[in-house]
Structure formats: structure tokens, C-alpha cells
């Protein structure tokens, strides 16, 4: 497990402290300090990373230290990261640098004054930060207009997420040869006809009952994400200048009716709601399932088994589940929403108020944010893990092979993609992606996902974290509303008929209103409006 988190400020520093250089610990940068010549004297920072607790000593880490003079003591919680973060904040025992998920907890740190404002530091010591982040710095400002963190995995990337995954070999057997590989979407009726054809043609496989469609009951978000995408639903329903819950969008009940019709026709696995992940993957691997609704990468394990057990090894690739776009009636295929992605990123990397040398800290983060830093963190060391050929980054074959054989093990050994602080989505200036392992080489499933669904990506940033702050009465209302949504969704899908599904939907709305949904929607609208003003 991980070392306890504590401030390392009592340890002597090999470089001048902030007070010695004239830069106050509050992050107000000294005008006399030079941004053109970053300090490279050895210094050690403590860094709390809620995601990774590995020692900062692999080849990538060593190269980062060589170029910046910064050594990190990585800290990660024992147990729940959120609990440890709350404990550190309450005890005022803070490490020098922190990576915290964006949302309530990060906002709590900002409200408590635990993070250093970065604006002046960035202006004087962050040229690469300003260049790479651009307008993102405007969008990640706090309500007081100041920046307290740098996002990672930021910037909108046109990349697929959800889709209807269908066995390509079965698709071809059912007569959909023309759409199996060409990127054209299926209409809702075409999809229903395929499900019916599969059920008629394959009532059993090797003596086992088959189902045209199943889901992972432990991942409702993937199910709703896929069907909402089909109907072009957004995270919230905007109407008459107000932000309402998505369940009030007229397309939501149409989605429920469609799903219910699939269920009442016997096209959905009746056990879907209780499928655990392992059971779900086993069903997909068994050859008794034609389709599912999921993020395309979640079929990785079943696809590997299906390829290995394919009767015709010359066509083993086609035995896999491939992602396709299915479009609801009356919906523009270009306005489907299978790819919700936030340009604001995942985590916030900040400098704590306990950091005694915020200038060195921002210079360190500025290096990591630079293109040089991006490729170092995500590709490794030049000449060791990759080479520059004809002006492009080219990975060593053994690096790609190492990740194919053992992703986690090779990442730990090499340091490549071990830490993703300040990482930006998309390609670098030479066109190669910063994310070597996730984007440089894609398999046939990912290739078709990009072809079929990349155009459904949309930025959720305007809708991120519109809900109430934690610890407020409204937060309790939100929890109750979420519980009602989780409770009624499977019931509506599995209702005996459409009329009963509609009654359950209406009952859900009534109970949500009783729980305080209208009050929550005022919070959504107010936060949405404030954000729009802040981003101007």
C-alpha cells in the first residue's frame, strides 16, 4: 500500500526557498525573477497523486529529474483517496503538489485556501502552459476568476466511446455485408430487424440459449450512454433558457419506449439487470450473444477469446464485437451523442499553500506541459524508447510489443504513460499523438469505432458539475433523485408493455419532484449561467 501523506517542508532544500528568491509562498511571483532561465538546482517535492503511488525512479522519472532538477516523493492514499484528501485538508498536512479529481473535493480545497493561485506564476514562469492550454485556462478558472490547477487529459478529442457492439461475422451472415465495414449508420428498424433475424437463425448455439442483446448490469452508465447517444440526448435538457434534468427531454421517454419494445419482443437478455461484469464478459465470450451497448473497449477480453476460438482462423478478426452507430427515428445521424467527452479533463494538478518554492513548482509543471514534456511522459526517452525520423516521433518496436504483452508491467518498468499530469488530448506538432499507447497503433475494432462513431463526440464541459455542492441540502436531494433514476430505469425497460413503462416513467417524475428536482433544476440553471458568464 502507500506511504502516509505528509508535508515535506521540514526537509532542507538544495535550492533557495521562495522567501530566499524573493517569491512569496502565496504564489505572487517576483518581478525580478527570470522566466527565461528556469532553475535546475536539485530540489525535492512531495506529490500526492490519487491515481498512482509508484516511486519516481523509473527511466522516464530519471529523465524528468535530469532536465528539471526536480525529484518527487510520490504519495498515494492507503484506502479511499477521497477520505485521505479530506483528512489532509482537515489536518492542514499538505504535500507540495497534488492531483485531485475535478469536482466537489477540488472545489473544497480551493474554498479552504489550500491551493496557491497560479495566474501570476503562469504569467511569469509558464510560457509553455499558456501556449498549450490556451483558452482552457479561461475555462478552468474558479468563480473568483483565478486559476488554482492545471487540468490533465484536457482539450476536446474526436474519439468514440459508446456504440452498439455487434459481431461482424454474424452481421455478414445476416445480410448486412454492405454496412459491416463501411461506416454507414443503421436505422432503428434495421437494428431491430437484425436482432430478430439473429434470434430466428440462432435460437441456440452449441445447445445454449442465445440472446440478440445483453448488457452489463453493473455499468448502467454505458447502457444509458449508448441509447441516449442513439436519440441524441444531451447531459441536460435545455428549454426556454432553463436547464432541466435529461429525463424531462421528450426524447427520453421515446428512448424508454424503444428499449421496452426490444425487451417485450424477447430481444434482450432477461437477466441483463443482474449481470455482473464477469458474467457479462463470459456471455459475450460464449458465442451466444449478437450485440451489446457499451464503450467499445469494454469488449476487449471477450474479443480476445472470440478470436482465439474462431473456427476459421483466417477470419478471426471478424469474430469480434465491433462498434456501430444506430440512429433513432427522426434523429439526424450527425447529431447523435455517443461520444460525451469533457475538454476540461479529469484531474486538477495544483500547488499547495505548503509549498515553499512555488516558482520552482510552476517551472516544473511548465516543463511537463510543454511538447517536450508531453512526449517524455507519454513516449519515454528519445533514443531509448523512440527516435525522431523524418521529423516525426517513431516508437521503438520493442516498446509497442512490451505494452501489447503486459501493459501494466511495461509501464511500470519504462515509466511510459505512468503519470499523465498536464497531458493534452490530440496530436503534437508533427501529427503523432501524445498518447502513444492509446492512439498511435489501433486495432481493427478501434479503427472501425473511429470510422463509425468519432463524429459523435461532443464537449460536455458546459454541463460538467452543474449540480449542488457537497454537504448542502440540495446535495441530499440530488442523491435521492439519482437513486430514483437507478431504481426506475430497469423497471421501465422491463415493464410488461409500453403503457406500464409510461406509467412507471410518470411515477418516477412525480417522486423526483417530491425529492426536490425543481429546486435542483434552479441550481443547474444558475450554475450554467454563471459558467457562461465566467467563460466570456
Amino acid at each position: 500500500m502507500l506511504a502516509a501523506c505528509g508535508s515535506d517542508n521540514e526537509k532542507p532544500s538544495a535550492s533557495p526557498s521562495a522567501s530566499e528568491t524573493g517569491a512569496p509562498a502565496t504564489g505572487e511571483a517576483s518581478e525580478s525573477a527570470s522566466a527565461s532561465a528556469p532553475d535546475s538546482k536539485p530540489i525535492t517535492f512531495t506529490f500526492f497523486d490519487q491515481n498512482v503511488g509508484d516511486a519516481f525512479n523509473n527511466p522516464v522519472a530519471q529523465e524528468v529529474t535530469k532536465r528539471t532538477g526536480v525529484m518527487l516523493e510520490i504519495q498515494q492514499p492507503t484506502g479511499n483517496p477521497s477520505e485521505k484528501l479530506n483528512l489532509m485538508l482537515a489536518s492542514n498536512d499538505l504535500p507540495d503538489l497534488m492531483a485531485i479529481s475535478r469536482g466537489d473535493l477540488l472545489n473544497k480545497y480551493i474554498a479552504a485556501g489550500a491551493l496557491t493561485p497560479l495566474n501570476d506564476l503562469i504569467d511569469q514562469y509558464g510560457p509553455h502552459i499558456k501556449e498549450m492550454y490556451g483558452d482552457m485556462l479561461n475555462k478552468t478558472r474558479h468563480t473568483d476568476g483565478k486559476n488554482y490547477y492545471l487540468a490533465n487529459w484536457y482539450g476536446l478529442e474526436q474519439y468514440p466511446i459508446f456504440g452498439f457492439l455487434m459481431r461482424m461475422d454474424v452481421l455478414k451472415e445476416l445480410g448486412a455485408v454492405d454496412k459491416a465495414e463501411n461506416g454507414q449508420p443503421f436505422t432503428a428498424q434495421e437494428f431491430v430487424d437484425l436482432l430478430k433475424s439473429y434470434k430466428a437463425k440462432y435460437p441456440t448455439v452449441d445447445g445454449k440459449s442465445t440472446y440478440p442483446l445483453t448488457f452489463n448490469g453493473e455499468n448502467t452508465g454505458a447502457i444509458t450512454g449508448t441509447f441516449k447517444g442513439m436519440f441524441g440526448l444531451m447531459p441536460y435538457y435545455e428549454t426556454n433558457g432553463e436547464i432541466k434534468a435529461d429525463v424531462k427531454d421528450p426524447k427520453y421517454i421515446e428512448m424508454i419506449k424503444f428499449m421496452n419494445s426490444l425487451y417485450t419482443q424477447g430481444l434482450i437478455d432477461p437477466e441483463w439487470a443482474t449481470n455482473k461484469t464477469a458474467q457479462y464478459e463470459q456471455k459475450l465470450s460464449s458465442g451466444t450473444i449478437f450485440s451489446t451497448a457499451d464503450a467499445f473497449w469494454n469488449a476487449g477480453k471477450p474479443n480476445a477469446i472470440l478470436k482465439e476460438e474462431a473456427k476459421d482462423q483466417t477470419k478471426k478478426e471478424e469474430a469480434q464485437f465491433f462498434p456501430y452507430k444506430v440512429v433513432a427515428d427522426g434523429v439526424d445521424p450527425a447529431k447523435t451523442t455517443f461520444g460525451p467527452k469533457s475538454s476540461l479533463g479529469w484531474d486538477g494538478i495544483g500547488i499547495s499553500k505548503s509549498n515553499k518554492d512555488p516558482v520552482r513548482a510552476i517551472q516544473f509543471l511548465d516543463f511537463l506541459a510543454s511538447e517536450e514534456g508531453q512526449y517524455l511522459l507519454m513516449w519515454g526517452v528519445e533514443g531509448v524508447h523512440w527516435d525522431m525520423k523524418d521529423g516525426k516521433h517513431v516508437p521503438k518496436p520493442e516498446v509497442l510489443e512490451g505494452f501489447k504483452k503486459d501493459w501494466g508491467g511495461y509501464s511500470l518498468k519504462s515509466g511510459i504513460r505512468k503519470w499523465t499530469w498536464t497531458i493534452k488530448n490530440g496530436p503534437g506538432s508533427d501529427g503523432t499523438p501524445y498518447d502513444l499507447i492509446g492512439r498511435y497503433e489501433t486495432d481493427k475494432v478501434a479503427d472501425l469505432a473511429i470510422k463509425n462513431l468519432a463524429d459523435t463526440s461532443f464537449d460536455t464541459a458546459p454541463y460538467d458539475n452543474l449540480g449542488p455542492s457537497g454537504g448542502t441540502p440540495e446535495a441530499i436531494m440530488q442523491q435521492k433523485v439519482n437513486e430514483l433514476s437507478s431504481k426506475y430505469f430497469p423497471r421501465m425497460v422491463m415493464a410488461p408493455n409500453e403503457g406500464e413503462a409510461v406509467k412507471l416513467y410518470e411515477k418516477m417524475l412525480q417522486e423526483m419532484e417530491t425529492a426536490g428536482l425543481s429546486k435542483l433544476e434552479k441550481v443547474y440553471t444558475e450554475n450554467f449561467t454563471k459558467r457562461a458568464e465566467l467563460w466570456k
Side-chain angles (χ1 to χ4, degrees):
M1 297 301 290
L2 309 164
C5 290
S7 174
D8 196 33
N9 293 323
E10 298 302 318
K11 295 184 180 181
S13 171
S15 67
S17 68
S19 59
E20 292 170 330
T21 60
T26 59
E28 296 294 332
S30 168
E31 293 183 3
S32 63
S34 172
S36 61
D39 195 348
S40 60
K41 294 178 182 178
I43 188 173
T44 297
F45 288 131
T46 50
F47 197 135
F48 177 88
D49 186 340
Q50 63 175 12
N51 304 306
V52 181
D54 299 315
F56 198 71
N57 58 9
N58 57 46
V60 166
Q62 292 171 14
E63 188 67 18
V64 169
T65 299
K66 177 182 176 181
R67 299 190 197 184
T68 65
V70 175
M71 176 64 190
L72 298 179
E73 290 184 5
I74 305 292
Q75 303 174 339
Q76 195 194 35
T78 53
N80 187 305
S82 296
E83 291 178 0
K84 185 62 180 179
L85 283 163
N86 279 315
L87 179 62
M88 287 193 298
L89 183 60
S91 64
N92 200 32
D93 187 11
L94 304 174
D96 298 311
L97 296 160
M98 308 185 74
I100 309 171
S101 291
R102 291 192 312 104
D104 277 350
L105 198 49
L106 182 57
N107 290 337
K108 185 185 293 186
Y109 264 77
I110 294 172
L115 297 179
T116 298
L118 303 180
N119 303 63
D120 291 342
L121 289 167
I122 292 173
D123 283 343
Q124 296 191 52
Y125 305 100
H128 297 112
I129 291 173
K130 288 196 283 188
E131 177 186 2
M132 295 291 278
Y133 279 83
D135 188 52
M136 196 54 56
L137 292 175
N138 182 50
K139 292 184 176 181
T140 55
R141 287 180 300 159
H142 193 55
T143 52
D144 61 4
K146 296 180 181 179
N147 288 100
Y148 291 91
Y149 67 88
L150 298 176
N152 69 347
W153 296 113
Y154 67 96
L156 183 62
E157 179 187 26
Q158 291 292 314
Y159 197 77
I161 300 179
F162 302 120
F164 287 93
L165 314 187
M166 295 182 252
R167 288 270 303 271
M168 182 182 284
D169 53 359
V170 178
L171 262 180
K172 291 184 175 181
E173 289 177 20
L174 297 178
V177 178
D178 59 329
K179 290 192 175 183
E181 299 181 70
N182 68 5
Q184 294 181 8
F186 290 91
T187 66
Q189 190 57 55
E190 286 173 334
F191 181 57
V192 172
D193 290 343
L194 285 168
L195 297 178
K196 290 180 177 179
S197 295
Y198 176 79
K199 183 179 180 181
K201 187 170 184 177
Y202 296 103
T204 62
V205 170
D206 297 329
K208 301 175 184 176
S209 297
T210 62
Y211 294 106
L213 190 59
T214 194
F215 310 126
N216 183 352
E218 284 192 307
N219 191 359
T220 305
I223 306 169
T224 57
T226 303
F227 281 93
K228 285 180 181 180
M230 172 184 176
F231 282 80
L233 282 156
M234 298 294 282
Y236 291 88
Y237 176 45
E238 292 188 54
T239 177
N240 297 323
E242 296 181 319
I243 305 299
K244 303 287 188 180
D246 62 352
V247 294
K248 290 188 177 179
D249 190 320
K251 290 182 289 188
Y252 184 90
I253 186 58
E254 295 305 314
M255 179 192 79
I256 292 297
K257 290 177 180 179
F258 178 73
M259 296 185 72
N260 176 255
S261 72
L262 297 180
Y263 185 80
T264 55
Q265 292 178 78
L267 303 177
I268 297 178
D269 172 11
E271 298 177 344
W272 72 268
T274 57
N275 281 341
K276 303 298 184 184
T277 300
Q279 183 183 12
Y280 166 72
E281 292 179 341
Q282 188 279 325
K283 286 183 176 182
L284 296 187
S285 306
S286 69
T288 61
I289 302 294
F290 166 57
S291 181
T292 186
D294 209 337
F296 73 90
W297 52 78
N298 283 339
K301 289 181 180 179
N303 277 346
I305 294 172
L306 290 168
K307 282 201 299 183
E308 182 181 344
E309 297 181 352
K311 294 178 181 178
D312 185 350
Q313 283 294 300
T314 63
K315 296 182 178 181
K316 64 180 182 180
E317 294 289 340
E318 295 183 2
Q320 301 178 94
F321 286 93
F322 284 79
Y324 296 92
K325 181 191 294 186
V326 177
V327 184
D329 294 342
V331 175
D332 183 344
K335 294 184 179 180
T336 51
T337 52
F338 291 97
K341 295 178 75 70
S342 176
S343 62
L344 300 185
W346 292 93
D347 301 321
I349 295 83
I351 300 172
S352 84
K353 66 178 182 181
S354 298
N355 191 310
K356 294 184 177 179
D357 200 339
V359 170
R360 283 298 302 277
I362 201 67
Q363 289 175 334
F364 172 66
L365 293 177
D366 186 65
F367 168 76
L368 297 183
S370 70
E371 183 153 296
E372 179 185 0
Q374 303 280 292
Y375 279 110
L376 177 54
L377 289 176
M378 303 297 278
W379 282 61
V381 182
E382 182 177 7
V384 177
H385 302 113
W386 60 273
D387 297 300
M388 186 66 78
K389 296 180 180 179
D390 299 324
K392 287 186 175 291
H393 292 73
V394 179
K396 300 273 191 183
E398 58 267 27
V399 172
L400 297 176
E401 188 61 27
F403 273 97
K404 287 178 182 177
K405 288 183 177 179
D406 182 5
W407 178 303
Y410 194 79
S411 179
L412 180 64
K413 175 185 175 182
S414 66
I416 299 171
R417 212 180 192 266
K418 176 53 62 175
W419 296 287
T420 59
W421 313 313
T422 72
I423 293 302
K424 184 177 184 177
N425 285 316
S429 59
D430 68 351
T432 55
Y434 291 129
D435 185 2
L436 167 65
I437 304 308
R439 299 291 184 266
Y440 185 80
E441 269 195 349
T442 54
D443 58 22
K444 290 189 175 181
V445 172
D447 288 341
L448 193 60
I450 293 169
K451 188 175 184 179
N452 288 342
L453 294 156
D455 66 340
T456 71
S457 296
F458 69 98
D459 194 359
T460 66
Y463 306 102
D464 288 357
N465 302 312
L466 290 186
S469 300
T472 62
E474 289 80 9
I476 298 174
M477 296 177 190
Q478 185 68 70
Q479 181 179 353
K480 180 61 177 177
V481 167
N482 292 344
E483 290 171 354
L484 289 168
S485 179
S486 298
K487 170 185 173 182
Y488 276 97
F489 175 71
R491 295 185 183 184
M492 292 186 293
V493 173
M494 296 188 290
N497 54 61
E498 182 179 295
E500 289 299 316
V502 172
K503 287 181 181 179
L504 286 167
Y505 169 74
E506 292 171 347
K507 185 177 180 182
M508 176 186 73
L509 287 183
Q510 290 174 356
E511 292 188 20
M512 285 181 170
E513 288 297 336
T514 301
L517 182 56
S518 292
K519 292 181 179 179
L520 289 173
E521 289 172 335
K522 290 181 180 178
V523 173
Y524 305 155
T525 302
E526 182 180 348
N527 289 339
F528 183 83
T529 303
K530 286 181 179 178
R531 179 171 300 168
E533 288 295 319
L534 186 65
W535 286 5
K536 284 183 178 179

